[in-house]
Amino acid sequence: CTTFDCGALENDHTTSTTTITTTTTMTMTTVTSAVAFPGPQWLERMAKVPENAYTAPDGTQYTSAYDAILDGEPMNEPCRNFNAFVNSFLFSSQFAGKIVNAVGVEWGHYLLCYLRNFIAALFVYYGTASIFHYFIYVHPQSEEIFRNRERPTWETMWGQIKVSQTSMFVYTMLPVFDEWLIEKGYTRMYYTVEEIGGWPTHIACLLLYFACVEVGIYWVHRTLHTNKFLYKYIHLPHHIYNSPETLTPWA
């Protein structure tokens, strides 16, 4: 071959070798990103049930009402995807569809989250209080407990239930507000341990979070006592039941 031809062959060989080496290096350094729980698989499972199909008011077809809430892209908003996943255990696609039709996709999603939190709060409050109520007032050991002390009256317990139930309507809104802040990007959210920088960073942030919560709760509680208006109209009912015969599991 001529000198020109051999040089061209050598250049081709060098180029091919470089391409192969680069491709191999890129393949070896590829890292698979972790997928935030629960991923998209749960929507795929719902799609297999024809009864879950949902048609939006504008005529758009979705495999379920939750698919409509996520606009067919569950991984675009992992927090919203997680909330919809949890809601699906309590509310069928048909029920969720009725809520969405009534108030729209955005309000429907957050209304479902609120109902979920409210139902969970009911179970926690009435469940734990009922267990303690049984062992304190119904179980035979109650005779020993109240041998030398007065039992709380039913009027006292009923008053405590009404105050607690009223508070529940408000307190269960707070997590929904937090979820709205996350979903709309007003606060940073890490969905995997790898994303936050590993377990040491995760544990450090967790401890810092608990410290901030404890300090925050202290100052909120302190303010409820030092501010006369807040104490009189908001916090005072909390201190009505401050004697042994008024302390019950329902307070």
Side-chain angles (χ1 to χ4, degrees):
C1 63
T2 63
T3 303
F4 176 80
D5 292 334
C6 287
L9 288 172
E10 289 177 1
N11 288 337
D12 289 343
H13 176 70
T14 302
T15 303
S16 300
T17 303
T18 303
T19 302
I20 293 172
T21 303
T22 303
T23 303
T24 303
T25 303
M26 291 176 64
T27 303
M28 292 176 63
T29 57
T30 299
V31 178
T32 303
S33 300
V35 177
F37 181 83
Q41 291 80 9
W42 72 279
L43 276 179
E44 295 170 2
R45 290 193 294 270
M46 291 195 76
K48 296 178 180 178
V49 182
E51 291 78 11
N52 289 335
Y54 171 75
T55 303
D58 63 1
T60 305
Q61 299 287 329
Y62 293 96
T63 58
S64 67
Y66 293 106
D67 186 35
I69 288 172
L70 297 167
D71 198 22
E73 299 290 342
M75 299 316 297
N76 284 353
E77 296 185 55
C79 181
R80 191 182 183 93
N81 182 43
F82 177 78
N83 279 319
F85 170 72
V86 176
N87 292 344
S88 69
F89 284 94
L90 291 176
F91 311 115
S92 67
S93 177
Q94 292 80 5
F95 179 81
K98 292 178 180 179
I99 296 294
V100 170
N101 285 340
V103 298
V105 171
E106 283 300 299
W107 282 101
H109 169 62
Y110 294 115
L111 179 56
L112 289 170
C113 290
Y114 173 75
L115 292 174
R116 175 199 69 201
N117 294 344
F118 187 73
I119 292 172
L122 291 176
F123 271 99
V124 171
Y125 174 68
Y126 288 102
T128 56
S130 296
I131 292 172
F132 278 100
H133 182 96
Y134 170 76
F135 284 104
I136 295 174
Y137 305 117
V138 180
H139 192 275
Q141 70 179 4
S142 65
E143 298 298 329
E144 182 63 27
I145 294 175
F146 293 101
R147 184 181 300 277
N148 297 313
R149 57 183 291 190
E150 184 181 348
R151 286 176 177 264
T153 64
W154 283 108
E155 289 75 14
T156 297
M157 295 184 191
W158 178 238
Q160 294 170 347
I161 291 173
K162 287 191 291 185
V163 171
S164 298
Q165 184 64 72
T166 302
S167 301
M168 222 177 294
F169 285 108
V170 177
Y171 279 121
T172 49
M173 292 181 186
L174 299 180
V176 180
F177 178 64
D178 290 342
E179 289 151 7
W180 178 80
L181 290 174
I182 295 170
E183 292 180 9
K184 298 306 176 183
Y186 292 109
T187 183
R188 184 75 170 101
M189 180 73 178
Y190 297 96
Y191 298 102
T192 64
V193 174
E194 292 79 8
E195 188 179 352
I196 201 173
W199 282 104
T201 307
H202 173 64
I203 293 173
C205 289
L206 184 65
L207 294 176
L208 177 62
Y209 165 77
F210 282 130
C212 290
V213 167
E214 291 302 317
V215 172
I217 290 175
Y218 167 80
W219 281 105
V220 168
H221 193 196
R222 184 185 178 94
T223 303
L224 288 172
H225 277 265
T226 56
N227 186 292
K228 293 181 179 180
F229 178 84
L230 294 178
Y231 183 79
K232 181 178 180 179
Y233 294 103
I234 295 179
H235 197 57
L236 182 59
H238 171 72
H239 287 280
I240 291 177
Y241 309 107
N242 55 6
S243 58
E245 64 272 10
T246 60
L247 294 177
T248 81
W250 304 99

